[in-house]
Amino acid sequence: MAGRLRFGAFIAPFHPLGENPTLAIERDLDLVVHMDRLGYDEAWIGEHHSAGYELIASPELFIATVAERTRHIRLGTGVSSLPYHHPLMLADRINQLDHVTRGRVMFGVGPGALPSDAFMMGIPVARQRDRMDEALDVLVPLLRGETVTRQTDWFTLNEARLQMRPYTRPSVEIAVASQVSPTGAQAAGRHGLGLLSIGATQAGGFNALASNWAIAEAQAAEAGRTMDRNAWRLVGPMHVAATREEARAQVRYGIEQWLYYFREVAALPLAPQDGSDPVDSLVNSGMAVVGTPDDAIAQIARLQEQSGGFGAYLTLDTNWAEWDDKKKSYELIARHVMPAFQDSNGNRDASLRWAADNRPRFIGEAQAAVGARVAQHVAQKGTENIRPEILAAMGLDKKPEAAE
């Protein structure tokens, strides 16, 4: 896909037990500040309420905090679980963030990822996707400043509207989470919203990329809307270092605890439990990059080919590595991976080649200009203060023969 690919992170986050949770959240804030300094475009912050690892309960509070510490990076809810909130209250919070961040907020939505969250609130898991659709049907017009009346079995809106018109016109950007099922793609297409493919590098999610986009486009066409590939984000885990060996050694710090969470809590079989190397499994399956910037470039190119083109790549933040190694990975991606997809050095390369191709002419002209000035000086002041090697280079070290 032509154009400037954006880069960011999808921060659930994942923090194993055994460390200070206050400091863990502070590191998440520091990570977004670090990304802002490195020139990343986006950071998406998750919402979870149980299971111990994913500690951020309110992405809105996190965004409000980190917005004060950053200058450029856009900040999204990744994602707000719509069945957990009355739509008017959620719309009002997002609209307020849109104003206080001066348009840097993005609104990512989904049905809710953890069944344990829904259970605690008495929400039937089987109804979560239906409730997401019902909430989205009213959130879209509310965030455009429209008045909405709607009655469902779980919320009521009577002539509801936001007190303030949105800062971003016509609305804050909205993106719908999608994995393997067509639910997210259908919802995005129905409203002409962005698509957030969270499991883009998992086998099922990878294989469904093109088909989910086709579903979204078909749904959008039925609704008289269009889909924008630039508003499509793909998410996948990635840790890079100077060499593959260094990267693999670094992720040994936390990868087993991350896999434990998905095997025993989230119940997603991401790596084998037969004693084989989990890093080999994740890398060889294409789900993760644990290697060099060149490996990261190859992964993103593979996703571009599979999907047909998208607008942003988001690193799934994993805490596989120690804090300093993790920050270095983000730095290496910014220095060596992002430029490959943003045409950052096209003009520099052309300028370098042009200067190299014309070097003989430029050097000749420069030498001639210097020689003329030296000759002028010799004619006016003599050769007393000119080094002999300079005179020799200019051919001015020979005395004219005496006239016969």
Side-chain angles (χ1 to χ4, degrees), residues 113-115 202 258-270 273:
L114 294 176
Q202 296 176 28
W258 184 83
L259 288 170
Y260 165 82
Y261 177 72
F262 284 99
R263 288 169 178 161
E264 305 298 330
V265 180
L268 293 176
L270 299 181
Q273 302 185 63

Side-chain angles (χ1 to χ4, degrees), residues 106 118 128 314:
M106 303 169 291
Q128 283 182 259
L314 308 178

Side-chain angles (χ1 to χ4, degrees), residues 291-340:
T292 66
D294 285 341
D295 295 323
I297 290 170
Q299 173 79 317
I300 295 171
R302 170 175 169 262
L303 289 168
Q304 287 181 320
E305 181 178 0
Q306 177 72 7
S307 66
F310 55 95
Y313 179 82
L314 308 178
T315 298
L316 179 66
D317 193 64
T318 58
N319 288 301
W320 286 348
E322 287 268 25
W323 175 234
D324 287 342
D325 293 329
K326 172 177 160 175
K327 287 197 298 181
K328 185 65 175 180
S329 175
Y330 276 87
E331 180 187 341
L332 289 172
I333 292 170
R335 289 174 57 194
H336 302 297
V337 181
M338 287 161 57

Side-chain angles (χ1 to χ4, degrees), residues 179-180 198-207 235 262 268 270 286-287 316:
Q179 295 206 51
V180 178
I198 298 174
T201 60
Q202 296 176 28
F206 180 81
N207 293 333
V235 181
F262 284 99
L268 293 176
L270 299 181
M287 181 187 165
L316 179 66

Side-chain angles (χ1 to χ4, degrees), residues 8-336:
F10 191 88
I11 304 170
F14 301 108
H15 291 297
L17 276 63
E19 63 174 313
N20 186 319
T22 306
L23 297 181
I25 293 174
E26 189 64 33
R27 284 204 311 279
D28 294 330
L29 293 165
D30 288 345
L31 174 62
V32 179
V33 173
H34 182 59
M35 292 172 62
D36 186 55
R37 291 176 181 148
L38 291 172
Y40 280 84
D41 300 281
E42 304 177 356
W44 296 77
I45 314 303
E47 174 193 355
H48 303 88
H49 304 278
S50 62
Y53 267 47
E54 300 171 88
L55 296 180
I56 297 172
S58 172
E60 301 100 331
L61 283 175
F62 186 99
I63 289 170
T65 302
V66 82
E68 289 294 303
R69 306 184 188 185
T70 55
R71 297 177 60 192
H72 307 291
I73 194 166
R74 300 185 71 208
L75 305 163
T77 60
V79 296
S80 294
S81 301
L82 298 190
Y84 304 169
H85 308 276
H86 190 285
L88 181 62
M89 297 295 97
L90 182 56
D92 235 348
R93 295 198 299 271
I94 296 300
N95 195 45
Q96 182 171 323
L97 277 179
D98 188 32
H99 282 267
V100 300
T101 64
R102 298 296 194 270
R104 281 200 285 150
V105 72
M106 303 169 291
F107 186 31
V109 302
L114 294 176
S116 49
D117 288 355
F119 176 82
M120 290 194 300
M121 289 176 273
I123 298 171
V125 173
R127 287 277 293 136
Q128 283 182 259
R129 283 160 182 78
D130 293 335
R131 291 189 178 186
M132 181 194 79
D133 290 337
E134 291 168 350
L136 197 56
D137 286 344
V138 300
L139 281 163
V140 170
L142 282 171
L143 287 167
R144 289 177 181 156
E146 300 173 16
T147 301
V148 179
T149 296
R150 190 69 55 88
Q151 176 77 48
T152 74
D153 64 356
W154 67 286
F155 71 81
T156 298
L157 292 174
N158 293 321
E159 300 179 21
R161 65 180 176 185
L162 304 181
Q163 296 185 93
M164 297 186 294
R165 292 190 62 81
Y167 181 89
T168 303
R169 305 293 175 88
S171 168
V172 63
E173 183 180 1
I174 304 174
V176 185
S178 173
Q179 295 206 51
V180 178
S181 82
T183 303
Q186 290 170 339
R190 188 167 66 255
H191 297 284
L193 305 176
L195 197 59
L196 191 57
S197 294
I198 298 174
T201 60
Q202 296 176 28
F206 180 81
N207 293 333
L209 287 175
S211 60
N212 271 344
W213 186 256
I215 289 168
E217 286 192 312
Q219 191 73 48
E222 288 182 17
R225 305 181 187 277
T226 57
M227 293 294 293
D228 179 7
R229 284 185 179 270
N230 196 52
W232 190 10
R233 283 111 172 149
L234 270 58
V235 181
M238 186 175 283
H239 179 81
V240 301
T243 67
R244 289 180 178 176
E245 292 72 22
E246 287 180 46
R248 292 173 71 92
Q250 289 169 6
V251 301
R252 301 294 181 191
Y253 167 78
I255 197 168
E256 282 293 349
Q257 291 175 302
W258 184 83
L259 288 170
Y260 165 82
Y261 177 72
F262 284 99
R263 288 169 178 161
E264 305 298 330
V265 180
L268 293 176
L270 299 181
Q273 302 185 63
D274 58 5
S276 58
D277 190 287
V279 178
D280 285 341
S281 175
L282 292 171
V283 171
N284 295 339
S285 69
M287 181 187 165
V289 171
V290 181
T292 66
D294 285 341
D295 295 323
I297 290 170
Q299 173 79 317
I300 295 171
R302 170 175 169 262
L303 289 168
Q304 287 181 320
E305 181 178 0
Q306 177 72 7
S307 66
F310 55 95
Y313 179 82
L314 308 178
T315 298
L316 179 66
D317 193 64
T318 58
N319 288 301
W320 286 348
E322 287 268 25
W323 175 234
D324 287 342
D325 293 329
K326 172 177 160 175
K327 287 197 298 181
K328 185 65 175 180
S329 175
Y330 276 87
E331 180 187 341
L332 289 172
I333 292 170
R335 289 174 57 194
H336 302 297

